[in-house]
Amino acid sequence: GKLLSPVVINAKNYQYQFIETISSESIITIGYLLITGLFIVHFVYKLGIITFLYIKSEKKSYSKYIIANINKDISPFSFFKIIFLNNSGINKDDAENIITHELIHVKQKHSIDLLIIELLCIMQWYNPFAWLYRKAIKENHEFLADRKVINAGIAVGGYQNLLIANALGIPQLVLSNS
């Protein structure tokens, strides 16, 4: 029979072949995956902070919900059925108003909306409309909660002062309603 001529493969030819096959689509895909991975790590980190705050908090039952008293200078927020409250320096009426506001977030399941929009922003970090949508959803949640609190009969002036006091200079967590 006929003999085939030998094929020689060495590292130099292989490396050249590999570099030649990297396309702009591959670079874009790798870039997208790297940045998405960073957003995923940040998301998990934020969930970890909430978990850490919950573990370190003093918990008490409030109807079907949990109030987690924290000793950090963080604006009150809710996450699913947990209301995180820093009640140091807050009088009892203000604390009740804050709990009423946060219970509305809990009962209307705003945490689910926030998780969904966060995942959308992770997957579409390059899309400015995803970020604008996220901001609009958060503002809408606050509007709905504030309207329900005022409809419940809480004095508007005192409630406004409470909101302003909580908004000024107190860090907020992104994954939460605050």
Side-chain angles (χ1 to χ4, degrees), residues 50 53-54 57 66 68 70 75-79 82-86:
I50 292 171
L53 287 174
Y54 179 74
S57 69
I66 297 171
I70 52 177
S75 184
F77 67 95
S78 60
F79 191 68
I82 306 165
I83 296 171
F84 292 85
L85 181 64
N86 177 6

Side-chain angles (χ1 to χ4, degrees), residues 125-141:
W125 52 263
Y126 55 87
N127 182 354
F129 293 107
W131 298 99
L132 291 171
Y133 189 59
R134 175 180 171 237
K135 183 178 184 226
I137 284 177
K138 287 182 156 212
E139 287 174 357
N140 189 49
H141 285 171

Side-chain angles (χ1 to χ4, degrees), residues 11-78:
K12 183 179 177 184
N13 289 343
Y14 181 74
Q15 183 180 12
Y16 177 75
Q17 288 280 334
F18 177 73
I19 291 172
E20 191 177 285
T21 60
I22 294 178
S23 66
S24 59
E25 290 171 352
S26 298
I27 292 171
I28 290 170
T29 301
I30 290 168
Y32 170 81
L33 292 174
L34 283 173
I35 294 171
T36 301
L38 290 175
F39 276 109
I40 290 170
V41 167
H42 188 250
F43 176 75
V44 170
Y45 173 74
K46 290 186 289 187
L47 288 175
I49 289 174
I50 292 171
T51 303
F52 178 76
L53 287 174
Y54 179 74
I55 290 168
K56 294 291 184 184
S57 69
E58 179 186 314
K59 298 154 205 66
K60 65 179 180 180
S61 288
Y62 189 89
S63 185
K64 299 181 285 187
Y65 311 103
I66 297 171
I67 294 182
N69 289 311
I70 52 177
N71 294 326
K72 297 239 181 230
D73 194 19
I74 294 176
S75 184
F77 67 95
S78 60

Side-chain angles (χ1 to χ4, degrees), residues 98-114:
I98 290 169
I99 291 169
T100 301
H101 175 96
E102 295 304 329
L103 272 176
I104 293 163
H105 287 302
V106 170
K107 289 177 182 176
Q108 293 183 354
K109 298 178 176 34
H110 290 171
S111 295
I112 294 171
D113 293 343
L114 291 178

